[in-house]
Amino acid sequence: PTCANLTLVSGTVSCSVVLPQGVHALTSQYASTTNYASSTSSVLSETINAEPTTTTVSSGYNPAESGENVTFTATTTASYGSPPGTITFNAAGVAISGCTAVVLSTNATCTTTLPVGTPAITAVYTSSSSNFAGSTSAALTQTVNKVPTTTTLVSNSGSTVTYGMSAAYTATVASLHTTSVTPTGTVT
């Protein structure tokens, strides 16, 4: 960006430009006129810092149960402009599989399942422009509970068994939620 051919008013002129992030060496040059010689200012070094950003993360389902999909949404904002780049979602400091380098438009989303526990979820913004600084969201505690189950026991031999006869029983363990996988493990 340049400011050129500006007219002096009482010996001064102002110019406003938006410079990209970095260090810039700026000068101004006065063109000679009939009565005045040309001159050039000394170099003014101007450092333009990357625009700070703020990243937030939210959960679409908290608490969740083991095996259930949870959608996380990250938003990155800046005071000036829309920050381009990617978001990586982390659980307990480790990138969530399938949720890395998610392209940021208005926001970025990631849908995943997590193991039982309370992992701290963060969203890390990486800028694709030197004009915007990266940022990391505050940690969100995502609770993932065990799926509740019910156990039933039935006699395969009827309700009355004579002493000395073998009796057979069947125990059935089921999830209380139809979207969950059939429970595995042992029954005693």
Side-chain angles (χ1 to χ4, degrees):
T2 61
C3 296
N5 300 322
L6 302 173
T7 303
L8 288 170
V9 175
S10 300
T12 62
V13 66
S14 295
C15 172
S16 295
V17 294
V18 175
L19 296 173
Q21 185 272 333
V23 177
H24 302 273
L26 307 174
T27 60
S28 62
Q29 298 174 333
Y30 172 67
S32 66
T33 64
T34 304
N35 296 318
Y36 298 96
S38 63
S39 63
T40 301
S41 70
S42 57
V43 174
L44 171 68
S45 179
E46 185 75 36
T47 301
I48 307 297
N49 295 319
E51 176 73 18
T53 61
T54 301
T55 299
T56 58
V57 66
S58 62
S59 169
Y61 197 46
N62 196 3
E65 291 177 354
S66 176
E68 291 182 317
N69 283 332
V70 179
T71 299
F72 297 106
T73 301
T75 304
T76 300
T77 57
S79 296
Y80 176 78
S82 298
T86 59
I87 295 286
T88 295
F89 294 88
N90 295 323
V94 177
I96 299 171
S97 178
C99 296
T100 59
V102 179
V103 175
L104 176 68
S105 53
T106 304
N107 56 40
T109 61
C110 164
T111 300
T112 189
T113 59
L114 295 169
V116 171
T118 54
I121 305 298
T122 56
V124 179
Y125 165 68
T126 302
S127 179
S128 61
S129 166
S130 61
N131 292 330
F132 295 92
S135 58
T136 300
S137 71
L140 165 75
T141 300
Q142 174 67 48
T143 301
V144 181
N145 296 316
K146 291 182 178 183
V147 177
T149 60
T150 182
T151 304
T152 57
L153 180 64
V154 294
S155 171
N156 297 337
S157 306
S159 61
T160 305
V161 178
T162 304
Y163 174 77
M165 292 182 59
S166 176
Y169 302 96
T170 300
T172 303
V173 180
S175 164
L176 289 178
H177 299 121
T178 57
T179 59
S180 297
V181 178
T182 302
T184 59
T186 60
V187 176
T188 53

